[in-house]
C-alpha cells in the first residue's frame, strides 16, 4: 500500500478482532486507532517547531510556475504592498475621526448619532471583510481582489470629496454658530443629502472590505517558505506591515487634520482620494514582482460539504464492520487546489464522519457524502480559530470607544504645547506614535529581554503577545477611569459643569497621553500577534479568510461599542426625570469614569477567558508532531 493511501481495519494487525467486538476495546485505544487510517504523506517543514508554513509553488499573474523565484517576491515586492495598505489605513482613520466632526458641524447631526453612524460604517467595512476573503480564496486570488476593491475604494472617496466640496450636498450653513449647534437649531441635512453621504460612505467601506483581508496575506505570500529564514522574515513582515498601518494613521491624524483646518473639508477628503489613487498606481507598478497563490475554490462550499456529510453519517460508527477507513487522496497535494494535506487530529470527532468511508459509499461517492481528511481538518481549524479571535473583540470595543470618548474629553482641556495649539482631532495620533515607537524598538529591546524569560526565539509566542496586549488594555482603561474622575471633579469645582465645550486652561489634555500610549502598546502586541497567528494557523487555501477573522473581530468591536453605548444610555439615563446618562453629550454631567470602569471589568473577564482558551490551544505543528509519533 502506498504512503498516500488510507489503511483499512482489515489491513491493521489486531484491528479486525477489535472492530468485531467494539465493547471490548477501550475508548482511548479506539481513538488512537482512528488516526492510523490516515497517514500524512507530506513532509512539511515547520518554523521553530511550530506553525504550518505549507502552501503550493508560487505562480505568476498568469497562473504559470515562476522559473526563477529570485527575480520575484521578497522585501522589494512587499514594499509595493505596504504602500497600498498605508493609503488604505490613512483613508480609514481619516474618515473614522473626521467624519464624526463633519457630520456634527456640517451635516448638523447630533454628536451621539454621528458617532454611532461612523461606528456602524467602520463595523460594516470590517465585518464584510469575510466576503472579500472568500472571493480571494475561492475565485479571484488575492491580487485581483485587491486590484478590484481598491478601485471601488477610490470611487467612494471621490464621492465623499464631492459631498464635502459642493454646497448642493450639504445643508445651509448660514446662522449656524456653536450655540445653534448645541441646541440643535441649525438647518438639518435633507434626507437625500444624508442618503448620498451614507451611500458613498458605504461604497468606501465595501472597497475596504476587499483590501483588508488580502493585503497582509498577499504580502506574506512574497516570502519563500522553503528558506531557513522564512519564519524570521514572516515575523518581521507583520511588524513592518503594522508599522505601515500606523504611519498611515499618523498622517491621517496630523496632515489630513491640518489640511482640513487650513483648506476645508473638501481638500481634506480629497487628499485621502489622491493618496489612494497614488497607492493604486504603486500597487499596479509592482505587478511583475509579485508571487501569487492559486485560489482553491469556494471554501464555504467545502465547509458546507463537510457539515452535510457529517450529518448524513451521524449514526455511523467508527467501529462498524462496514467502515473502510478515512478518505484521503494519494500524493503530497490534497484534492483542494492550492493546498497540501493536513494531518488528522482528534478534535471535533463528530466531523470525522464526513471522511468516514463506508462500503455503501461506492467507488465514486458525492462530495456531499464523502469528504477528504484534509477538507474536514480545514473546518476544524476554522472552528478552533474562532474562540481566540473572539477574545480580541473586547480590545476593539475599547479602541472604538477611545476614538470618540477621548476626543470629547480633549474638548474640555487645554491642548496647547507652549504657544502651539494642537487640534482636538489630532489627539488620536498619540496611540499611533506610541505604536510607531514600540515597533521600532521591538527587536532591539523587547525581544532580547523577553527571550530571557520565555526562552522563545522571538521573545514571545503569538498567543503570548495577544495576551500581553489584552492585559495592557486593562491597565489603560483603569487609568482612563481614574483620570476621568479627576477631570470631571476638576470641571465641577472650577465652574465648568455646563460649559463642556470650553477648554479648561489649567488642565492639560496631555494627561490623556498615558491612556493613549497604553492602548497603543496593547494594540501592537494583540493585533500584530493575532495577524501572524491567523496567517500561520489558517489552512493553505483559506489564508485570506483567516486574515479576515481579525477584521471581523474589529468590525464586531465597532458594533459592540454602538450596542454598549445604546444600552448604557438607556439604563443609566432618564430623560423624564432629568437624570443624564453616563454618556451624556455634556461630559461634565455624565459619568465617563463609570463607563471606563465598566470597560475595565469587561476587559478583565475577557482576559481570563483568553488565558483559559490559550492554555488549551495546540499549534498545528504540535498536532502534526503528535500525529507523526503514532504507530
Amino acid at each position: 500500500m502506498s504512503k498516500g493511501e488510507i489503511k483499512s481495519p482489515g489491513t491493521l494487525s489486531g484491528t479486525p478482532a477489535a472492530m468485531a467486538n467494539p465493547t471490548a476495546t477501550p475508548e482511548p485505544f479506539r481513538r488512537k486507532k482512528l488516526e492510523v487510517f490516515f497517514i500524512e504523506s507530506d513532509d512539511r517543514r515547520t518554523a521553530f517547531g511550530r506553525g504550518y508554513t505549507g502552501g503550493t509553488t508560487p505562480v505568476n499573474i498568469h497562473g504559470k510556475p515562476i522559473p526563477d523565484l529570485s527575480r520575484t517576491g521578497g522585501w522589494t515586492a512587499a514594499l509595493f504592498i505596504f504602500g497600498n495598505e498605508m493609503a488604505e489605513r490613512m483613508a480609514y482613520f481619516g474618515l473614522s475621526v473626521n467624519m464624526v466632526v463633519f457630520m456634527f458641524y456640517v451635516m448638523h447631526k447630533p454628536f451621539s448619532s454621528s458617532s454611532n453612524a461612523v461606528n456602524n460604517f467602520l463595523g460594516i467595512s470590517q465585518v464584510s471583510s469575510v466576503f472579500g476573503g472568500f472571493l480571494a480564496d475561492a475565485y479571484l486570488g488575492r491580487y485581483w481582489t485587491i486590484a478590484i476593491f481598491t478601485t471601488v475604494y477610490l470611487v467612494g472617496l471621490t464621492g465623499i470629496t464631492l459631498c464635502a466640496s459642493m454646497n448642493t450636498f450639504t445643508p445651509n450653513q448660514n446662522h449656524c454658530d456653536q450655540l445653534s449647534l448645541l441646541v440643535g437649531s441649525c438647518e438639518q441635512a435633507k434626507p437625500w443629502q444624508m442618503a448620498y453621504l451614507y451611500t458613498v460612505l458605504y461604497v468606501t467601506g465595501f472597497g475596504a472590505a476587499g483590501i483588508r483581508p488580502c493585503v497582509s496575506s498577499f504580502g506574506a505570500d512574497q516570502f519563500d517558505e522553503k528558506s531557513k529564514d522564512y519564519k524570521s522574515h514572516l515575523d518581521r513582515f507583520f511588524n513592518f506591515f503594522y508599522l505601515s498601518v500606523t504611519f498611515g494613521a499618523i498622517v491621517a491624524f496630523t496632515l489630513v487634520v491640518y489640511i482640513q483646518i487650513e483648506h476645508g473639508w473638501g481638500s481634506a477628503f480629497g487628499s485621502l482620494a489622491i493618496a489612494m489613487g497614488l497607492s493604486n498606481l504603486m500597487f499596479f507598478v509592482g505587478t511583475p514582482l509579485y508571487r501569487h497563490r492559486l485560489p482553491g475554490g469556494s471554501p464555504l462550499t467545502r465547509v458546507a460539504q463537510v457539515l452535510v456529510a457529517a450529518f448524513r453519517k451521524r449514526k455511523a460508527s467508527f467501529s462498524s464492520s462496514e467502515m473502510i477507513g478515512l478518505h484521503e487522496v494519494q500524493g503530497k497535494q490534497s484534492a483542494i487546489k492550492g493546498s497540501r494535506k493536513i494531518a488528522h487530529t482528534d478534535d471535533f470527532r463528530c466531523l470525522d464522519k464526513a471522511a468516514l468511508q463506508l462500503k455503501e459509499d461506492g467507488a465514486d461517492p458525492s462530495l456531499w457524502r464523502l469528504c477528504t481528511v484534509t477538507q474536514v481538518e480545514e473546518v476544524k481549524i476554522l472552528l478552533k480559530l474562532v474562540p481566540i479571535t473572539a477574545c480580541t473583540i473586547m480590545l476593539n470595543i475599547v479602541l472604538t470607544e477611545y476614538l470618540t470618548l477621548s476626543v470629547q474629553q480633549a474638548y474640555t482641556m487645554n491642548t496647547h504645547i507652549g504657544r502651539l495649539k494642537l487640534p482636538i482631532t489630532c489627539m488620536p495620533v498619540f496611540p499611533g506614535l506610541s505604536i510607531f515607537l514600540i515597533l521600532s524598538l521591538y527587536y532591539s529591546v523587547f525581544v532580547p529581554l523577553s527571550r530571557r524569560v520565555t526562552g522563545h526565539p522571538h521573545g514571545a509566542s503569538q498567543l503570548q503577545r495577544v495576551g500581553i496586549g489584552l492585559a495592557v488594555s486593562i491597565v489603560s482603561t483603569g487609568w482612563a477611569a481614574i483620570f476621568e474622575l479627576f477631570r470631571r471633579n476638576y470641571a465641577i469645582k472650577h465652574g465648568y459643569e455646563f460649559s463642556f465645550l470650553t477648554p479648561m486652561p489649567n488642565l492639560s489634555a496631555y494627561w490623556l497621553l498615558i491612556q493613549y500610549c497604553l492602548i497603543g502598546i496593547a494594540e501592537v502586541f494583540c493585533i500584530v500577534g493575532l495577524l501572524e497567528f491567523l496567517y500561520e494557523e489558517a489552512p493553505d487555501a483559506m489564508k485570506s479568510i483567516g486574515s479576515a477573522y481579525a477584521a471581523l473581530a474589529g468590525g464586531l468591536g465597532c458594533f459592540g461599542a454602538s450596542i454598549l453605548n445604546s444600552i448604557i444610555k438607556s439604563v443609566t439615563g432618564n430623560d423624564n426625570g432629568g437624570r443624564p446618562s453616563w454618556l451624556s453629550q455634556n461630559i461634565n454631567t455624565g459619568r465617563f469614569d463609570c463607563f471606563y470602569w465598566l470597560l475595565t471589568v469587561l476587559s478583565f473577564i475577557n482576559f481570563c477567558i483568553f488565558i483559559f482558551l490559550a492554555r488549551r490551544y495546540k499549534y498545528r505543528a504540535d498536532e502534526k508532531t503528535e500525529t507523526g509519533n503514532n504507530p
Side-chain angles (χ1 to χ4, degrees):
M1 178 172 289
S2 69
K3 193 177 183 182
E5 294 178 278
I6 306 301
K7 294 183 179 180
S8 67
T11 62
L12 295 172
S13 176
T15 303
M19 291 298 182
N21 185 16
T23 57
T25 307
E27 176 63 18
F29 179 78
R30 293 203 305 275
R31 291 174 68 90
K32 182 176 180 181
K33 278 299 181 185
L34 183 61
E35 294 189 25
V36 180
F37 302 141
F38 171 75
I39 298 180
E40 173 64 68
S41 63
D42 182 6
D43 185 19
R44 188 175 306 187
R45 183 189 62 80
T46 59
F48 291 108
R50 62 170 177 77
Y52 266 47
T53 57
T56 56
T57 303
V59 297
N60 60 23
I61 194 171
H62 304 294
K64 305 296 183 181
I66 301 173
D68 186 3
L69 289 178
S70 65
R71 296 178 178 272
T72 61
W75 287 105
T76 304
L79 289 176
F80 288 94
I81 299 169
F82 284 151
N84 187 266
E85 178 64 12
M86 194 182 303
E88 191 276 323
R89 295 283 88 183
M90 176 180 164
Y92 176 84
F93 287 109
L95 292 176
S96 66
V97 174
N98 291 296
M99 187 53 67
V100 175
V101 183
F102 177 76
M103 285 187 176
F104 180 72
Y105 282 102
V106 179
M107 305 303 287
H108 305 155
K109 299 286 289 182
F111 190 87
S112 58
S113 61
S114 299
S115 176
N116 281 340
V118 173
N119 283 349
N120 290 335
F121 152 70
L122 299 177
I124 290 174
S125 72
Q126 296 194 74
V127 168
S128 55
S129 295
V130 175
F131 174 69
F134 166 77
L135 285 180
D137 285 341
Y139 306 113
L140 300 178
R142 288 185 263 280
Y143 172 85
W144 286 111
T145 304
I146 295 172
I148 292 171
F149 281 87
T150 197
T151 305
V152 173
Y153 204 125
L154 180 59
V155 171
L157 287 175
T158 303
I160 293 173
T161 303
L162 292 176
C163 180
S165 303
M166 302 175 65
N167 294 334
T168 305
F169 296 107
T170 58
N172 194 328
Q173 305 299 315
N174 295 332
H175 312 296
C176 186
D177 54 17
Q178 189 176 75
L179 179 61
S180 300
L181 281 170
L182 294 178
V183 299
S185 61
C186 293
E187 179 183 321
Q188 295 292 307
K190 296 179 178 63
W192 73 267
Q193 291 173 330
M194 291 307 302
Y196 172 80
L197 178 58
Y198 285 138
T199 298
V200 292
L201 197 59
Y202 285 115
V203 167
T204 305
F206 182 68
I211 300 173
R212 191 173 293 114
C214 299
V215 174
S216 61
S217 298
F218 189 53
D221 287 344
Q222 305 309 309
F223 297 95
D224 184 6
E225 58 194 24
K226 296 180 181 179
S227 168
K228 64 178 182 180
D229 297 324
Y230 173 72
K231 183 61 183 70
S232 177
H233 286 316
L234 198 65
D235 189 67
R236 289 179 181 271
F237 166 77
F238 280 104
N239 279 279
F240 284 121
F241 173 80
Y242 211 72
L243 197 63
S244 69
V245 170
T246 304
F247 186 78
I250 292 173
V251 174
F253 294 140
T254 52
L255 181 60
V256 176
V257 171
Y258 172 80
I259 293 173
Q260 184 270 313
I261 293 173
E262 294 295 324
H263 303 286
W265 291 104
S267 298
F269 292 134
S271 66
L272 299 178
I274 292 172
M276 180 55 67
L278 292 175
S279 75
N280 289 1
L281 180 62
M282 181 184 298
F283 177 78
F284 290 122
V285 167
T287 298
L289 298 174
Y290 300 144
R291 299 174 182 176
H292 304 260
R293 307 283 183 180
L294 294 174
S298 173
L300 296 184
T301 301
R302 297 200 300 275
V303 171
Q305 288 171 342
V306 170
L307 297 179
V308 170
F311 180 78
R312 283 182 168 181
K313 296 182 178 179
R314 64 190 182 280
K315 296 182 180 180
S317 173
F318 290 119
S319 58
S320 170
S321 60
E322 295 295 313
M323 183 180 73
I324 297 175
L326 294 183
H327 175 60
E328 184 56 279
V329 298
Q330 298 186 32
K332 290 187 175 182
Q333 299 299 325
S334 71
I336 302 166
K337 186 178 178 182
S339 176
R340 299 184 193 180
K341 290 181 180 177
I342 304 176
H344 174 260
T345 65
D346 267 343
D347 300 310
F348 302 106
R349 283 174 60 85
C350 59
L351 295 178
D352 283 336
K353 293 188 176 181
L356 190 62
Q357 188 167 9
L358 305 176
K359 294 178 181 178
E360 64 186 54
D361 290 331
D364 188 23
S366 165
L367 293 175
W368 294 91
R369 181 173 180 83
L370 181 64
C371 305
T372 64
V373 169
T374 296
Q375 189 175 342
V376 172
E377 291 301 320
E378 279 189 329
V379 180
K380 291 182 182 181
I381 291 168
L382 292 182
L383 291 175
K384 287 190 288 185
L385 294 179
V386 168
I388 296 296
T389 308
C391 286
T392 65
I393 293 175
M394 190 63 224
L395 175 66
N396 285 288
I397 290 177
V398 173
L399 290 171
T400 303
E401 298 288 7
Y402 271 29
L403 281 176
T404 53
L405 300 184
S406 58
V407 170
Q408 285 183 263
Q409 289 177 292
Y411 268 114
T412 70
M413 303 166 72
N414 181 6
T415 59
H416 282 83
I417 303 178
R419 295 184 178 181
L420 175 64
K421 185 180 188 302
L422 190 69
I424 299 298
T425 47
C426 281
M427 293 302 293
V429 74
F430 290 104
L433 291 175
S434 65
I435 293 172
F436 195 90
L437 179 63
I438 293 164
L439 287 175
S440 300
L441 299 176
Y442 185 82
Y443 290 103
S444 60
V445 177
F446 172 77
V447 172
L449 291 177
S450 58
R451 186 186 293 134
R452 297 178 182 178
V453 178
T454 64
H456 194 278
H458 297 289
S461 69
Q462 297 150 357
L463 291 182
Q464 285 172 340
R465 279 182 276 165
V466 173
I468 291 171
L470 296 178
V472 175
S473 72
I474 300 173
V475 179
S476 177
T477 53
W479 165 259
I482 294 171
F483 176 72
E484 172 55 23
L485 179 62
F486 171 79
R487 189 211 60 79
R488 181 178 182 273
N489 291 338
Y490 184 94
I492 295 173
K493 180 179 179 181
H494 291 82
Y496 289 93
E497 183 173 1
F498 299 104
S499 304
F500 63 97
L501 289 182
T502 302
M504 296 177 283
N506 295 323
L507 186 60
S508 174
Y510 297 101
W511 281 103
L512 297 172
L513 295 188
I514 297 177
Q515 67 198 56
Y516 275 142
C517 292
L518 286 172
I519 202 63
I521 295 172
E523 190 174 355
V524 165
F525 282 97
C526 183
I527 305 302
V528 177
L530 180 67
L531 285 172
E532 186 178 344
F533 169 76
L534 292 173
Y535 181 80
E536 288 201 28
E537 294 295 299
D540 291 337
M542 294 186 178
K543 295 295 185 184
S544 297
I545 287 186
S547 298
Y549 270 33
L552 179 62
L556 293 177
C558 293
F559 288 130
S562 295
I563 294 171
L564 184 60
N565 290 350
S566 299
I567 293 174
I568 292 300
K569 289 176 182 178
S570 175
V571 172
T572 63
N574 187 344
D575 294 334
N576 295 329
R579 186 180 79 246
S581 73
W582 286 0
L583 298 177
S584 171
Q585 182 158 290
N586 182 348
I587 186 176
N588 294 333
T589 59
R591 295 304 304 265
F592 278 31
D593 57 317
C594 295
F595 185 70
Y596 278 129
W597 279 124
L598 176 63
L599 291 178
T600 304
V601 172
L602 293 176
S603 297
F604 178 76
I605 295 173
N606 177 73
F607 175 72
C608 293
I609 296 173
F610 171 79
I611 292 297
F612 173 78
L613 294 172
R615 289 175 65 88
R616 294 169 61 89
Y617 187 86
K618 287 184 178 181
Y619 287 102
R620 290 179 61 190
D622 297 335
E623 294 172 347
K624 179 177 184 293
T625 300
E626 289 186 8
T627 304
N629 288 337
N630 287 327

